Amino acid sequence: MEIAKTDDEESFKRMWMDAQIRFEERTGQGLLRSKNQSLDHLLIELDKHFNTRDSENGSKNQRIKESASNVLKLIELLCGIAAQGASAVFGPATLCFNALQALISIPSKISKFHDDLARLFAEISASLKLFKIYRRIEQFAEIEVELKQCTHKVMIVFVDICALSIDIISGSRLKKIKSLGKIALFDNDSGVQDKLEELKRLVIQQGQISDAITLEHVLRSEQELTGPVRKILETLKQDSQSSGRLLEAKSQEILDEIAETRVALRTVDARTEALQKDADDRKGERKQQELFSQACKKLSIDRESIQKLKKDFDQIRGDCLQGTGDWLRNIDVYKSWSDFESEVDSPLLLSGSNGSGKSHLAVAALDDLERRYSVPGSSALRLSVAHYKFTSDKKLSHNGAVREALRTMAAQIAEKNLVFLKNLCSRLESKDPSFIKDTDIEYLSTELIAPTSMKDTTDIAYVLFFDALDQISSGEAANQLYRAILAMKSSRIRIMLTGAEEDSPALFEPSKGSLDTVAKIRVEDHNEGDIKRFIDSEVEGCEVLKGNAPGITRIANSIRRELPEIVNGNFDSVRQMLGTVEDAVKSGSPEDDVMELISVDTLKNKHSTTEKLVKKLEESLNVQEIKELNEILIWTIYAIEYLPVDTMRAALFLQTKSTPLQSLEDKVSQKYSRLVQTNPENNNVFELRNSYLEEYFARSKRQEHIVDAEGNRDPTISMTIRIDGVKLSKVQTFLWDLSEKVVLDKFTFTESLADSGHNTPISANRIEGHLTITRRCYEVLVNEPNEATKVIARYALVYFSTHLGILRNEMTKGRLNDVEREEVVKYLVYLLRSPEYCEKHLTPEFFLKQCWTNDDDLSIIGMWLRDTDAWGRLKRKETAWVKQAVSGEEFLALALKDVAAMVARHWLCHRTWSAELPYQWLDVFLDRWASGMVQNRTIDGTYRGSDIKDSDGKTETIISQKDLPQGLMTVSTRIVRAAEWVENVVKVPKDSLWYERLGNTYLRHTETEFSIKAFLSAKELPSCSWRVYEGLADAYAAKKNLGLALQEMEVVLAKLRGKQERSATERDELVKCLIKAATWQIGNNDVAIKLLQEAMQLDEYNYQSHYEILKIFTRTGLESEALKLLSELKMRSGRDGSVTQLETMLIEFSKWNYSLIYFELVFYAARQHDVFQTILEIIERAITSAREREANPELADLLLCQGVALARYSSKENRHESALTRWNEGYVLGLESGLWYNCARLAANFVFNHHFSKVQIEQTAAHEIEVHVEKVEALAESTSNPEFAPALRLMLASLYTRLEKHDAAQKLLLNDLKTGFDLLSDNDPENDYLGFATIAKILMHTGDDLNALSAWSLYGPMERRREYIAKGAQDSEEAHSQGEVSPSSGDGNENISRICNGRCSGEDLSWEESVWMCKVCDDVDLNDECLEKLRNGTLPISTCSPDHEWLLVPSWADEYRATGKGRVRIGGELIDGKRAGGQIVLVEEWLDIVKEKWGVDKPLLTILNDNDKSK
């Protein structure tokens, strides 16, 4: 035996000798040194080399230190195991420590590799934490040879990784590629990644060996085991009939028992992050939206821009005809690209000429992919699709647009994918605001799209669609896009590109880019079927080609027959040809002439045809009409957003300064219709008649540009008189007459020839267009607001800088002359230095869009102000201001200080806007400012640019060190920062209004304690408004202190009641406060009723008060009073006298969110009275009106409510079928209108409940059951939206479970379950509660009630998470065993963000309360009282069905007290809906049980493993 040991030891020594040789060859250093390293010495070295106080890399250094320290401790443990029993002094730990010391001792070069080192140590640490061998040393005296050998190999791989890293950072490889730019440890040719993969394989191998040996020891040494393990083995022996199956099951139980016992013996408790649910509207939606807003803010993305992209994308989708792109499925290139099981990682390019339908084809292809992979059970892949379109207004002449594309796509994926959103927020949290703008494009692309931190979510794939690549200029921008695409190459990512080859051929030549291969499909070669469908659709929709006249029929048939070959796959050519034919038919051309137009020659002369059209129109218009049309064309083509009629009318007023007699709509339809039209389906916005007109005008030549004298730099008039061969007498006479005219002012002026004749052309050149819009915007901003132009003022304020950016791009191409450049700079400086002009036109959009503080605007402003050659028209003070702004490091602080001060005054000194709006703008401004200051920090810790001089030469401090962000800032800290900045810079007095506005800001961000303090301060100061008391009352109410809230509200009511003459605004405020006070009168219904009656007397048309009093009447048994009120409303006339107040109230309800809540209260109150029939008639009239107006959102809500009225309160025999028809239509309309939560979701629930109830009926035949199942399946497949579809799948799964189709239910929800596990393993503890909620819902809807209860018990309050984070591993097992674990650090009655859906009180449920959860519907909870009412038919709201099954989820606090943190109760049995028995295990073990049951692969890294093993 000794010989065997010695042989093994010699084998290990040889392995280490080889490792030492490799290390020396790669690094030039030996592993054995005169002074070998110890663990303590290396920890000191880590602290020395990775200083966490370093201003630039502090956070990175901290991450590296933590990961490296974890690696060192694990290395020490495992190397000790490897050396166990060695006869000689053999120290693998020393060699590993020496290798690591050599790596971290590399000089300053190492700072360039902080990110890679952090990732390296994190990956090593993650792998070593899964090493199971250290679990065995506490039970067995000896370690088997196989495990020792595997351990040695792991340590040697670690040394090899260190050697490769040293070689890259400081070795010859860095010198060789120094000129090529930055390199990384994880490049494909570095070798580090391969070694990491080898490390992981070894870890998995040792795990398999360890498990096998553990089982062997258990089975061979049963006599050494005691307690439960021995009893299990005895049971195994006694049960001989089923020994095979039982042995396997019991052996697994033994392993679980051993694992639990060993973990319990450790000194550090298993650490699981707290699980909680923040306040949200509907179980996480609000929290998700808040997170998405945070992500957009970090990405510098405007949410409205994302919605606009989505709207444009949906518009294209809506334009696609049935069958568009079906031919793609037969193209081999596409089949390979769309198959995620293939190894394809190259992008797919859809190329073709402009107008060939590339974008529409791409959208159809993406829809096909989403349908293919969203079919329940069809694939284990979860698809995330994002798209971005490059436009001519965003030419990629710099990095900005490429980065914008990446961050926009990341935001789109995050909006749809909660796991990705959480991961993205976690990654961006530690990033500097300049990260998006300054980091390498390769790193940015991989960090934003499919980051390595999500490598465990291998069943998530990404499809990225880059549209209109032909808008990218060749050069650096195209190269950047190629580099980004190359960095993202992966079998999990599919990239689709579209572009017109003729416009930018350089993009499609691989030799000029970085991509080896680009799979190409030329659209025109395959899209004949799409063209034919489009021609048929256009011909059928063309008015002049309708009818039965033989000539018209022949023309239509000729178009269908001949046009597909003529247009050669181009949709624009179809439109042009049809437009030409239509004009010819309208003008009365003979049939033969029209037939001749249907030819290739017509298309070849497209430009000349358009030119003839324009010339012909010119001849029919006078000069003023041409000028007006030119203005319309400019705004239609070059405005950033489409302009509706009223906005266009305001734009024309800026040109003419008068209102024409003929309406604009008539002029467009009668005179300008050949070029422009209004779209009645899109808010009557202006559009070009044909798409090719934009290209025609954009490429047209510039007209001679004449600058007004008023705007010229030095307006002068000069004249040269030349006299040649004229008699002296004639010269004298001429000069005398000239002098006489000058002296006597007898000159007469006539209109120039250009203005008097028809020489004014129809023109809309691109540069002239943007210059014109810029001038109009400036004009409207510097003038006083007026009714005629106020709608265009909003546009001017929001998009002025955007047009400056477009002009800047044109200027870089030499297309602006000096006078125009000077003009632009003057406009910009004037507005920045005098923000009072913009102030007069402020709108909410200015604040919400972060105008002038977003990255694009800042870049544009900076480029224009730094253009010193354009300062010529600036005055002395203006020039001095610009010089100071561009010379300092703090450009933002200097250029926008005056604007920021104006916004600050609107925040704390005025009530014009809600306090939240200007605060949001200022908060972003200070983030940008502070980010710049951090970058400009000097060696001695001071900050450049912190002092400036005002226009009078006085020095003032505009920022200090305390204004800079110190790590992650809380909301309250950010508000304090902003208030201190206002106090220091704006220097306004801190009066009562100041504190009132500050309190409102805190309250808006749910910082109630700070809000209360601010309002109390406001009360102590003079001129305290009643609004202070109202704000304080709201703050107390938010804290659930209704007593104090009512005290403060009484002061408000007294002040408002005491006013002798109340304005309409004050009356409305009094009514609002009366309603608030009434809703706070918990248990004091008489007082509440009096307050509401007072409100109704003040304003009988405020129907919120009517709703509140009806609610009190129905809840307190005063149904006769409720019926009396409805009857009175039926008899009263409405405001205009045409309808009753009852009808007016119901119409008002239909416009409110969740209108069903208000309608059903009325239904319930009137259910047994003739008023109910009146209500049905009112709803029917409202539905008819909504259909006529095509008001689909309103119609969807009304149909939903009408269905409930019929199904629940009507006595008609076919009421259920009638209701089902309404709900089906309401669901479709609600889904199309984006009304998911307050309409479509409710309609879907009712549709599902109808079919579910039919299946429940025993008499239902089998074939009828299948019909109902198919209906529910169609409902579940009706949308693939990740926000909506999971709820539908849950309901379908519950139906499958009811029919005992358990496999179908699990297959349906498998991907959703994986999403739940992903949420637990994404390194973000704050969203674990969502993960457990997702898992709980799935288990509950698939009949696994006991495991569902386990999951719900882990769904805990905010305090639980905070407690864990604060205490960490400090809490000991002893505290748990002695029962000292508290369910929360605060009030045990703290509220959960779930409400009883019976709406019995409207109060949130408490964590101390149990709740009944529906196992059929999604997110329906009831307390005992409301469930009883539901079952006996007395619940006054349609929330569920009495025939559904319910699960009683016990008090979370009780479960937590029983289990303690990190543990969960599993097993047992359900008795009367409650769990009895069971055992308490680690959360990690329970998760493994669920994963095994569902066949979910365990991720390499999970939060729970991390927390457990890091201890």
Side-chain angles (χ1 to χ4, degrees), residues 744-780:
L744 299 178
D745 194 20
K746 292 183 179 179
F747 281 108
T748 57
F749 297 91
T750 58
E751 193 174 14
S752 68
L753 183 63
D755 291 336
S756 60
H758 282 282
N759 292 333
T760 301
I762 296 176
S763 174
N765 175 268
R766 173 180 168 81
I767 299 172
E768 287 179 342
H770 287 291
L771 274 170
T772 298
I773 294 176
T774 301
R775 291 176 183 133
R776 302 286 186 255
C777 290
Y778 175 76
E779 179 184 351
V780 74

Side-chain angles (χ1 to χ4, degrees), residues 1047-1064:
Q1047 287 181 24
E1048 300 299 330
M1049 188 55 75
E1050 280 300 323
V1051 178
V1052 179
L1053 296 177
K1055 288 179 177 290
L1056 291 175
R1057 285 167 175 159
K1059 287 183 175 289
Q1060 296 295 326
E1061 295 182 2
R1062 279 192 297 267
S1063 65

Side-chain angles (χ1 to χ4, degrees), residues 1208-1265:
R1208 186 163 187 194
Y1209 302 101
S1210 173
S1211 58
K1212 295 181 180 179
E1213 290 186 3
N1214 65 337
R1215 61 186 184 277
H1216 294 296
E1217 289 71 19
S1218 298
L1220 185 64
T1221 301
R1222 270 71 170 182
W1223 289 332
N1224 276 319
E1225 185 181 1
Y1227 170 74
V1228 173
L1229 290 173
L1231 206 60
E1232 291 175 352
S1233 305
L1235 303 175
W1236 170 249
Y1237 294 108
N1238 56 354
C1239 181
R1241 185 177 188 175
L1242 297 173
N1245 283 344
F1246 293 139
V1247 171
F1248 168 78
N1249 286 338
H1250 171 83
H1251 295 295
F1252 188 87
S1253 297
K1254 293 293 185 182
V1255 172
Q1256 290 277 75
I1257 300 174
E1258 294 183 2
Q1259 293 85 354
T1260 305
H1263 70 278
E1264 293 177 345
I1265 290 177

Side-chain angles (χ1 to χ4, degrees), residues 530-550:
D530 296 341
I531 287 289
K532 289 181 178 179
R533 275 189 291 270
F534 181 70
I535 292 173
D536 288 341
S537 174
E538 291 294 297
V539 169
E540 290 173 4
C542 182
E543 291 295 329
V544 300
L545 296 178
K546 290 182 179 178
N548 298 322

Side-chain angles (χ1 to χ4, degrees), residues 567-827:
V567 298
N568 193 28
N570 192 285
F571 293 87
D572 279 353
S573 297
V574 174
R575 296 187 185 95
Q576 180 194 347
M577 181 68 73
L578 289 175
T580 303
V581 170
E582 184 178 1
D583 289 341
V585 173
K586 282 182 178 180
S587 63
S589 299
E591 180 182 342
D592 291 341
D593 291 350
V594 175
M595 289 292 194
E596 288 181 8
L597 291 175
I598 308 173
S599 67
V600 177
D601 292 337
T602 302
L603 294 179
K604 287 182 178 178
N605 299 322
K606 178 173 68 173
H607 184 82
S608 60
T609 303
T610 305
E611 189 172 7
K612 289 178 182 177
L613 173 68
V614 173
K615 290 295 182 184
K616 187 175 181 180
L617 184 59
E618 280 179 7
E619 294 172 0
S620 66
L621 302 176
N622 62 40
V623 174
Q624 293 303 321
E625 289 171 337
I626 290 176
K627 288 182 177 179
E628 183 178 65
L629 177 56
N630 287 346
E631 193 81 7
I632 292 173
L633 288 170
I634 284 171
W635 285 96
T636 302
I637 299 173
Y638 303 117
I640 306 303
E641 62 184 23
Y642 292 108
L643 268 58
V645 173
D646 59 340
T647 309
M648 183 66 79
R649 189 180 294 113
L652 294 176
F653 183 87
L654 289 172
Q655 178 202 28
T656 62
K657 305 298 186 296
S658 63
T659 303
L661 295 176
Q662 188 179 9
S663 72
L664 180 59
E665 295 91 327
D666 290 343
K667 284 187 178 180
V668 170
S669 62
Q670 297 171 12
K671 297 183 178 181
Y672 310 148
S673 60
R674 292 187 180 183
L675 298 183
V676 294
Q677 62 185 3
T678 57
N679 186 348
E681 297 181 359
N682 188 16
N683 198 27
N684 276 326
V685 298
F686 274 76
E687 297 176 346
L688 290 176
R689 185 79 179 181
N690 293 296
S691 58
Y692 57 81
L693 288 172
E694 180 173 352
E695 179 184 353
Y696 170 80
F697 284 114
R699 294 184 176 184
S700 62
K701 294 181 180 180
R702 290 193 64 180
Q703 301 300 310
E704 183 179 356
H705 181 62
I706 303 173
V707 182
D708 293 339
E710 182 182 354
N712 206 339
R713 181 168 49 218
D714 294 310
T716 58
I717 299 176
S718 63
M719 179 174 62
T720 301
I721 299 176
R722 178 170 179 160
I723 300 172
D724 187 13
V726 182
K727 292 182 179 181
L728 180 60
S729 59
K730 289 187 177 182
V731 174
Q732 289 173 334
T733 302
F734 169 76
L735 293 176
W736 179 262
D737 291 341
L738 180 62
S739 62
E740 185 182 40
K741 286 182 178 292
V742 172
V743 173
L744 299 178
D745 194 20
K746 292 183 179 179
F747 281 108
T748 57
F749 297 91
T750 58
E751 193 174 14
S752 68
L753 183 63
D755 291 336
S756 60
H758 282 282
N759 292 333
T760 301
I762 296 176
S763 174
N765 175 268
R766 173 180 168 81
I767 299 172
E768 287 179 342
H770 287 291
L771 274 170
T772 298
I773 294 176
T774 301
R775 291 176 183 133
R776 302 286 186 255
C777 290
Y778 175 76
E779 179 184 351
V780 74
L781 291 177
V782 298
N783 286 310
E784 292 295 323
N786 63 71
E787 286 298 318
T789 60
K790 67 178 182 180
V791 290
I792 200 69
R794 178 206 65 84
Y795 180 95
L797 192 65
V798 174
Y799 294 115
F800 177 76
S801 59
T802 306
H803 288 286
L804 294 190
I806 296 168
L807 289 174
R808 187 68 192 177
N809 284 339
E810 298 296 338
M811 192 277 292
T812 59
K813 300 169 186 176
R815 296 174 181 170
L816 261 67
N817 60 43
D818 292 343
V819 174
E820 291 164 342
R821 289 166 60 190
E822 292 171 359
E823 181 184 7
V824 170
V825 171
K826 182 176 181 178
Y827 291 164

